[in-house]
Amino acid sequence: MRWIRCSCGAARRRAARDRGDRMEPYDLILEDLKDKTEKTVKHLRDQLASIRTGRASPALVDTLRVDYYGTPTPLNQLAHISVPEARQLMIKPFDASPDVIKEVEKAILKSSLGLNPQSDGKTLRLNMPPLSGEQRQKLVAKVKEIVENTRVALRNERRDANKHAEQMKKDGDLTEDQLKRTHDLIDKELKGIEAKLDDAFKVKSKEIMEE
């Protein structure tokens, strides 16, 4: 796998140089790993935010992609989304032309939310019926699946980081002690994130099961 330096890692390296910190040969591996895991965790949060609970939340539709004159655009860039009632979302497109309203409605219907928008020509309202016990169990199972898929992605990122370290050792850029320390730091980083995944699952599951 090709390793790419992202702006986050570059910013950390500049900050380290500004502080006069000594950079270890394996720091780049750890920075790249953190950049990748941060993106993976953010993607998890976005996915969990789009899953229904017992209450309305703008996050349910924030990232829905709407065909805006041929360009797939997140809904939160096209409309003001509010919660006028505990079980209702109101979506008010900035461009309230019939074509845009139609495309927003289409995006909602195509999503996995299972909700039917009601339109008055300028705004759309989403009324959320109470979830049945069976629906709640299915949603919790979906959350579990998403979290487990994230675990797999993180394990792959750990594997790639370890391979990168081993290659640096072969190339003479790391000593045996530095390689061991790199493996230890990689494991420490991933264990911390694993704990965050466990917390995310518990919090989202609790939200779904609450009346």
Side-chain angles (χ1 to χ4, degrees):
M1 178 178 180
R2 186 167 169 238
W3 285 75
I4 301 173
R5 300 186 187 190
C6 90
S7 57
C8 303
R12 282 195 285 264
R13 286 192 291 277
R14 285 195 297 271
R17 285 197 297 270
D18 291 343
R19 294 193 305 268
D21 294 349
R22 179 172 174 268
M23 296 287 288
E24 296 291 347
Y26 48 73
D27 282 340
L28 176 60
I29 298 174
L30 298 174
E31 287 169 358
D32 284 344
L33 178 63
K34 286 180 181 178
D35 291 339
K36 291 174 184 295
T37 56
E38 284 170 5
K39 290 176 183 176
T40 299
V41 172
K42 182 183 182 302
H43 181 59
L44 169 69
R45 288 176 180 148
D46 290 342
Q47 286 182 294
L48 295 185
S50 68
I51 294 178
R52 280 189 63 189
T53 64
R55 293 179 174 273
S57 168
L60 285 172
V61 296
D62 269 347
T63 57
L64 282 184
R65 295 277 172 171
V66 178
D67 185 351
Y68 185 64
Y69 298 110
T71 302
T73 307
L75 181 56
N76 60 4
Q77 294 181 18
L78 300 177
H80 175 67
I81 306 167
S82 60
V83 184
E85 299 176 18
R87 295 185 184 275
Q88 185 182 89
L89 282 176
M90 184 169 71
I91 301 167
K92 189 173 184 180
F94 305 128
D95 176 354
S97 64
D99 287 345
V100 173
I101 293 289
K102 182 180 178 181
E103 290 299 332
V104 172
E105 191 170 357
K106 188 187 297 184
I108 294 168
L109 290 171
K110 285 172 61 179
S111 74
S112 60
L113 291 172
L115 300 173
N116 292 312
Q118 298 175 348
S119 172
D120 63 7
K122 293 184 179 180
T123 62
L124 296 102
R125 293 177 186 269
L126 294 178
N127 292 308
M128 304 195 177
L131 294 169
S132 68
E134 183 180 357
Q135 286 175 313
R136 292 176 193 274
Q137 292 295 340
K138 286 182 178 179
L139 288 173
V140 170
K142 184 176 181 180
V143 170
K144 184 177 181 180
E145 180 183 359
I146 291 172
V147 171
E148 289 306 312
N149 288 339
T150 303
R151 290 188 202 279
V152 172
L154 290 171
R155 289 188 198 112
N156 290 337
E157 287 161 5
R158 176 173 56 192
R159 179 201 62 204
D160 291 340
N162 282 323
K163 283 185 177 179
H164 191 194
E166 288 158 8
Q167 186 60 51
M168 287 184 70
K169 169 67 168 57
K170 289 179 182 178
D171 294 342
D173 296 324
L174 289 180
T175 66
E176 189 65 42
D177 286 344
Q178 287 173 327
L179 177 62
K180 184 179 183 305
R181 176 160 174 73
T182 305
H183 287 325
D184 289 344
L185 290 172
I186 289 170
D187 286 344
K188 181 179 179 181
E189 175 73 17
L190 268 294
K191 283 179 182 177
I193 297 174
E194 286 278 349
K196 291 180 181 178
L197 297 190
D198 292 337
D199 289 342
F201 174 72
K202 290 175 184 176
V203 170
K204 189 66 181 184
S205 297
K206 182 180 179 182
E207 289 176 356
I208 291 170
M209 297 306 294
E210 285 178 343
E211 294 292 337

